[in-house]
Amino acid sequence: MADFREIYRDYLEKNHPGSDEFHQAVEEIFEDIKDEYHNDDQYDEWNVLERLMEPDRIIRFRVCWEADDGKVKINTGWRVQFHNLLGAYKGGLRFHPSVNESVLKFLGFEQCFKNALTGMPMGGGKGGSNFNPKGCSQREIMRFCQAFMRELYRHIGSQTDVPAGDINVGSTEIGYLFGEYIKIKNQWEGVLTGKNPSFGGSCGREEATGYGVIYFLKNMLKAHDKELKEKRILISGSGNVALHAAKKAIQEDAIVLSISDSGGTLYFENGMKLDDFDTLYDFKINQKGRLKDAKIGSYMEGDKPWIIKEADIALPCATQNELDEDDATELLDNGIKILCEGANMPLTDGARKKFINAKALYGPAKAANAGGVAVSGLERSQNAELNSWDIDRIDKELQSIMENIHDRCIQYVKKENDIYPYSKGANIYGFKKLAGAMIAQGIV
Ligand code: NDP
Ligand code: 2IT
């Protein structure tokens, strides 16, 4: 039998050359499932590794839209429909100049494993555009969303593929995308999640990813006889995930020391307060302000939060590969040995290995940030039954989903040096579920 690593590396080199982020995501998962793979001949017989790595399809299209000054602009749009083994394709849309096929393949691949962990019937997908909404007017963003949907609509549907938000796509953009979809189709259906609750969105969806991170973290701490109360937390990012993680952490009596954006870090020496959250939510989410202009906290231009020394927990909630090996060394040197990922793949390969080798408590993104897609799943249920549930119900469901995800992460692993290897456990769980479905569904 060929060397395990060769199987997927050769395949990736041949079929997805230059897709660095995608290679990184595949390697991270496959290295953890090596023993599992060798323990069952069926996996080789049915060629599950190559089939898992290859997306069902990648749709790429031109998005042509008009700027306020009348100039005609072009962007590229994509939807990567990765696997629908467990349900309709499901995953967010990202608008950011760094978006390319490699980034979307990594996100789509991760999403398949994340969605498997939720226990809900959801496949994996991801999409978006290299469109940069920074500096655009509200009308320009609306016209872009409409042009994007004029191409995407033919590939999605409430039982086919159900996109949602991600970086720079919040409920405002989902509203524009949804409006265009129902206009074209003359049909109201739950084709997108993350909608405004006033027209079919789920209450609690906006908060769900950040709150879910904190619920997962609490479960992780409890399983190691620790608690969240009074722990000092470093958060990166200041978008939807970061701010809601901060709010829930404050409500749980933890001390939030920082948030950040791509320009620098906002440091709260005595911890952020709920009033600060309200101010920042309005400033960042509604007004799209930059942290350097936020008139609270101390702004550290060009710095990442990881240089702050007196902390206990790190929550990277901005973007992929934002925390590198040097940052990991700095955190570990400062005694910070608990880390939970709010963003998707926020650690470089080197940083991740450093944390795992240091026997740190490490909550992987596909488990810790799955609360968002899970409440998207609840939004689909509400749309299907033409009903809406109240926030108490959603919050209870979210807490129980995050506890179940935690338990699934440790279902196939034991503590090593008194620490559960959550990342390995999450990868094995997702692999068994996806590979099992693939074999059961035959060669298709
Ligand atoms: P937002 O657009 O709301 O916020 C993104 C934040 O990350 C902003 O503060 C942004 O700062 C910062 N950021 C983006 N790119 C960079 C960069 N290159 N360097 C430093 N900071 C950067 O997005 P979300 O909060 O929704 O998403 C954050 C992460 O969470 C992403 O990885 C996303 O995939 C993941 N996620 C999101 C879910 C959701 O429900 N929204 C669900 C699960 C995961 P700036 O404005 O300066 O760019
Ligand atoms: O990365 C993610 O899980 C998301 N961006 C949310 C996807 C969703 O369908 O709610």
Side-chain angles (χ1 to χ4, degrees):
M1 199 187 288
D3 173 64
F4 180 74
R5 193 171 287 179
E6 304 271 293
I7 306 177
Y8 66 82
R9 281 200 176 160
D10 281 357
Y11 185 86
L12 288 172
E13 284 305 330
K14 224 175 265 158
N15 297 285
H16 299 273
S19 288
D20 293 347
E21 293 85 356
F22 181 43
H23 293 201
Q24 185 186 340
V26 170
E27 177 132 2
E28 188 238 286
I29 294 183
F30 281 4
E31 281 306 300
D32 278 343
I33 54 99
K34 190 168 154 184
D35 293 342
E36 197 60 41
Y37 178 83
H38 285 312
N39 278 342
D40 190 339
D41 290 344
Q42 280 198 96
Y43 295 140
D44 182 46
E45 188 189 328
W46 291 84
N47 195 11
V48 292
L49 287 190
E50 291 188 357
R51 290 167 71 194
L52 276 177
M53 278 183 285
E54 191 59 45
D56 286 349
R57 66 191 65 80
I58 300 178
I59 299 145
R60 181 194 148 121
F61 47 91
R62 180 177 58 120
V63 186
C64 186
W65 56 284
E66 189 179 3
D68 288 343
D69 62 7
K71 289 217 169 78
V72 180
K73 305 269 188 173
I74 294 284
N75 287 97
T76 305
W78 290 270
R79 184 72 180 165
V80 177
Q81 296 182 332
F82 220 109
H83 286 305
N84 58 0
L85 292 159
L86 307 179
Y89 304 107
K90 183 85 196 87
L93 296 171
R94 177 180 292 192
F95 294 165
H96 196 272
S98 64
V99 165
N100 57 40
E101 251 173 61
S102 170
V103 167
L104 295 177
K105 282 185 291 189
F106 118 65
L107 288 163
F109 182 71
E110 281 274 309
Q111 197 81 45
C112 297
F113 287 77
K114 181 192 309 196
N115 294 1
L117 274 169
T118 64
M120 292 170 149
M122 297 188 292
K126 203 84 188 188
S129 172
N130 53 7
F131 168 65
N132 186 3
K134 258 185 210 143
C136 285
S137 71
Q138 204 55 26
R139 289 293 173 94
E140 287 176 324
I141 291 173
M142 181 184 78
R143 285 196 294 275
F144 176 82
C145 288
Q146 292 169 337
F148 184 87
M149 186 52 87
R150 278 198 292 277
E151 278 299 323
L152 185 67
Y153 84 93
R154 66 191 90 235
H155 306 289
I156 61 176
S158 60
Q159 303 304 324
T160 310
D161 183 355
V162 183
D166 194 79
I167 291 180
N168 289 328
V169 180
S171 65
T172 306
E173 291 73 22
I174 292 290
Y176 298 144
L177 292 161
F178 187 70
E180 185 69 14
Y181 181 88
I182 59 175
K183 185 81 192 165
I184 295 171
K185 301 273 286 196
N186 192 27
Q187 179 174 308
W188 200 107
E189 57 168 321
V191 67
L192 294 167
T193 60
K195 301 181 290 295
N196 190 301
S198 65
F199 53 87
S202 177
C203 64
R205 172 62 188 87
E206 193 188 354
E207 296 85 351
T209 311
Y211 283 16
V213 170
I214 301 300
Y215 294 149
F216 186 85
L217 174 65
K218 275 181 74 180
N219 279 289
M220 206 164 81
L221 292 171
K222 191 169 153 210
H224 295 82
D225 301 318
K226 297 178 196 295
E227 57 174 28
L228 184 57
K229 196 170 173 196
E230 285 170 15
K231 292 280 187 306
R232 293 156 303 176
I233 305 187
L234 303 177
I235 297 182
S236 65
S238 50
N240 173 290
V241 180
L243 288 178
H244 290 104
K247 180 174 182 183
K248 183 51 72 182
I250 299 167
Q251 288 174 343
E252 296 282 342
D253 295 321
I255 302 157
V256 175
L257 295 177
S258 73
I259 55 167
S260 70
D261 62 17
S262 49
T265 290
L266 205 56
Y267 174 42
F268 295 85
E269 200 179 345
N270 300 313
M272 188 196 286
K273 307 286 175 261
L274 284 176
D275 283 352
D276 298 328
F277 167 86
D278 292 338
T279 308
L280 284 165
Y281 181 89
D282 185 54
F283 181 69
K284 283 296 297 180
I285 308 282
N286 298 336
Q287 298 173 44
K288 302 199 190 302
R290 308 298 304 156
L291 287 184
K292 69 175 168 45
D293 304 319
K295 295 189 171 64
I296 51 175
S298 324
Y299 183 68
M300 309 189 302
E301 174 93 37
D303 286 332
K304 296 182 187 177
W306 324 127
I307 61 162
I308 299 168
K309 289 194 181 347
E310 304 294 323
D312 306 296
I313 299 174
L315 302 181
C317 295
T319 194
Q320 68 270 4
N321 292 329
E322 55 165 303
L323 197 157
D324 62 21
E325 216 170 318
D326 290 344
D327 299 323
T329 305
E330 183 138 32
L331 285 168
L332 290 166
D333 285 351
N334 291 334
I336 299 160
K337 290 187 74 175
I338 304 173
L339 182 144
C340 205
E341 297 180 333
N344 287 308
M345 202 169 77
L347 270 58
T348 62
D349 186 47
R352 195 178 57 83
K353 287 183 177 141
K354 269 230 144 87
F355 263 94
I356 290 175
N357 292 338
K359 304 179 184 36
L361 202 46
Y362 170 60
K366 62 178 75 63
N369 75 22
V373 75
V375 174
S376 279
L378 301 181
E379 184 170 330
R380 290 183 71 204
S381 301
Q382 294 167 78
N383 290 168
E385 69 177 47
L386 301 177
N387 206 348
S388 60
W389 307 343
D390 64 25
I391 189 65
D392 284 349
R393 176 166 176 188
I394 299 288
D395 193 53
K396 277 203 192 88
E397 295 245 13
L398 176 61
Q399 293 194 42
S400 131
I401 289 166
M402 296 317 292
E403 189 178 343
N404 290 335
I405 291 174
H406 173 272
D407 294 351
R408 289 181 188 118
C409 288
I410 57 177
Q411 188 170 327
Y412 298 117
V413 288
K414 292 197 172 58
K415 275 189 178 168
E416 296 166 5
N417 303 297
D418 290 331
I419 298 279
Y420 279 119
Y422 286 102
S423 187
K424 186 172 185 177
N427 290 336
I428 294 176
Y429 184 91
F431 174 74
K432 283 173 81 79
K433 194 155 177 182
L434 292 165
M438 188 173 267
I439 293 168
Q441 290 173 23
I443 303 170
V444 284

